[in-house]
Amino acid sequence: MAIVNENKLLRENSIKIVGKLTDAQVTNGNRKDNGQGYISVDATIVSQINGVSNEYKVNFYTSQLTKDGKQSKLYDSYSKLPEMVGRKVEIDGEIRENRYYSTNLNQLISTQLLAGKFVKGVVETAIDTATFVVGGFLVKTPVERRNKKDEVYRYDVTLGQSNYAGNGMSMITLHINPDHAEIVRAVEGMYGVGDTIQFTGSLVFKTEVVTVEDENTAFGAPVTKTYTNRQSNFYIEGGSNPLSDERAYSSDVVKTLIDAYKANDVKLQNASVSSAPVVNAAPAVNAAPVVTKRQTSLI
């Protein structure tokens, strides 16, 4: 069931990254559904921001031909990405949800990818940056994330966005740095689930090598272990007032989208377990609850 005036709903989703292109791995192939050629490029961009090195993995994908059968300009642009390795570039794209069912873990998994669309070379003196703008309706209010030491290392805030057809949605999880308690208070105090809002912020993707010594050493030199710690944070830095105009998601629209999201989860699970030795019954699709300000989550 499509939503009336779905194209007016707030669905802002954009990223901008400026940094040095350090790698571009190209894959060419043909789609299974129509045989049309495609190109996929896994690019790595390194940005020096506030004295910290950030590494971004960005995927570029497009078909070789446009809908009218002409050669895609994006296809040609992506084909030349390896030639730009070592140069500073500017990338525009979006945050994309990748949701799938894991038969090993017996649960649905949701990850977030950086999907590039446009890329161009810039002067070496261009200031490195990595920012996002995301708008939709609030699915989950801030949720604490704690490490093994029971320390809060992050707060997760989830937004929902309608697709352009109005018959499905994706969810994007943004983060709050626990050092910024004022942002946590603002998000918790200003917004309720179902509110239509827009957030701006920074992509902080730090990679650090950590060396840990074995604390259970009785004598002699302690055994050391080295591992790479990768942090991918979508830190919220600003937010709009709740919207009430034609871009706002009504409670009926929210319910329709949540129901569609849950129904798609059932399809993902059924498709994954259909060939497994043991097939678990698919979970029932429960109707989305009536939105109230006291709720903390719609899922």
Side-chain angles (χ1 to χ4, degrees):
M1 177 180 177
I3 300 168
V4 177
N5 295 326
E6 68 274 3
N7 288 329
K8 296 181 180 180
L9 295 172
L10 180 66
R11 56 168 63 84
E12 177 66 35
N13 181 358
S14 61
I15 61 171
K16 179 179 179 180
I17 298 174
V18 176
K20 180 168 290 187
L21 180 67
T22 61
D23 192 25
Q25 298 296 321
V26 178
T27 300
N28 294 100
N30 296 91
R31 293 175 50 174
K32 293 182 180 180
D33 56 349
N34 58 15
Q36 186 180 149
Y38 71 82
I39 186 171
S40 176
V41 184
D42 291 315
T44 302
I45 300 91
V46 175
S47 303
Q48 305 297 330
I49 303 173
N50 297 325
V52 177
S53 179
N54 291 262
E55 184 178 274
Y56 305 99
K57 302 292 186 179
V58 182
N59 177 259
F60 295 85
Y61 176 91
T62 191
S63 297
Q64 185 171 3
L65 303 178
T66 62
K67 292 181 179 180
D68 57 4
K70 296 181 180 179
Q71 179 76 9
S72 168
K73 293 182 179 180
L74 289 178
Y75 185 96
D76 295 337
S77 174
Y78 299 166
S79 299
K80 298 176 182 178
L81 272 172
E83 302 172 13
M84 303 177 71
V85 170
R87 294 177 53 191
K88 184 164 285 191
V89 296
E90 177 180 308
I91 291 171
D92 292 291
E94 65 179 12
I95 303 168
R96 188 169 296 166
E97 181 187 22
N98 178 34
R99 192 165 176 81
Y100 61 94
Y101 186 83
S102 170
T103 54
N104 291 332
L105 298 176
N106 196 32
Q107 66 183 36
L108 286 155
I109 305 296
S110 184
T111 61
Q112 291 185 165
L113 309 174
L114 301 181
K117 186 170 184 181
F118 300 110
V119 57
K120 65 179 181 181
V122 294
V123 295
E124 290 299 311
T125 55
I127 298 175
D128 287 6
T129 186
T131 58
F132 67 81
V133 182
V134 175
F137 65 92
L138 188 62
V139 176
K140 294 182 182 179
T141 57
V143 177
E144 283 186 355
R145 299 301 181 193
R146 294 179 174 269
N147 58 24
K148 293 180 180 179
K149 297 180 180 180
D150 201 34
E151 301 167 330
V152 177
Y153 67 89
R154 195 180 72 201
Y155 290 86
D156 290 357
V157 181
T158 304
L159 292 181
Q161 284 189 343
S162 168
N163 60 11
Y164 281 95
N167 57 5
M169 62 170 276
S170 60
M171 291 200 298
I172 298 174
T173 298
L174 306 176
H175 309 132
I176 303 176
N177 188 329
D179 294 337
H180 296 289
E182 73 282 2
I183 296 180
V184 179
R185 290 193 297 268
V187 174
E188 290 179 334
M190 292 180 60
Y191 311 124
V193 293
D195 283 350
T196 302
I197 48 183
Q198 181 166 288
F199 289 122
T200 59
S202 296
L203 304 170
V204 181
F205 284 36
K206 297 186 296 182
T207 300
E208 58 181 354
V209 178
V210 180
T211 301
V212 179
E213 293 186 351
D214 187 353
E215 298 179 355
N216 192 31
T217 301
F219 61 88
V223 176
T224 61
K225 295 181 179 179
T226 301
Y227 63 93
T228 302
N229 182 23
R230 299 181 186 276
Q231 300 180 29
S232 300
N233 292 309
F234 302 76
Y235 280 145
I236 295 171
E237 296 175 345
S240 69
N241 290 310
L243 301 182
S244 58
D245 56 22
E246 60 186 4
R247 295 172 295 169
Y249 291 74
S250 68
S251 58
D252 288 342
V253 168
V254 168
K255 180 182 184 303
T256 298
L257 291 174
I258 294 293
D259 285 347
Y261 193 84
K262 291 180 177 180
N264 188 59
D265 280 353
V266 173
K267 291 181 181 179
L268 288 174
Q269 179 173 348
N270 288 341
S272 295
V273 303
S274 60
S275 58
V278 178
V279 179
N280 297 322
V285 180
N286 298 318
V290 176
V291 178
T292 68
K293 291 296 182 182
R294 291 187 179 181
Q295 285 178 238
T296 60
S297 175
L298 293 173
I299 296 290

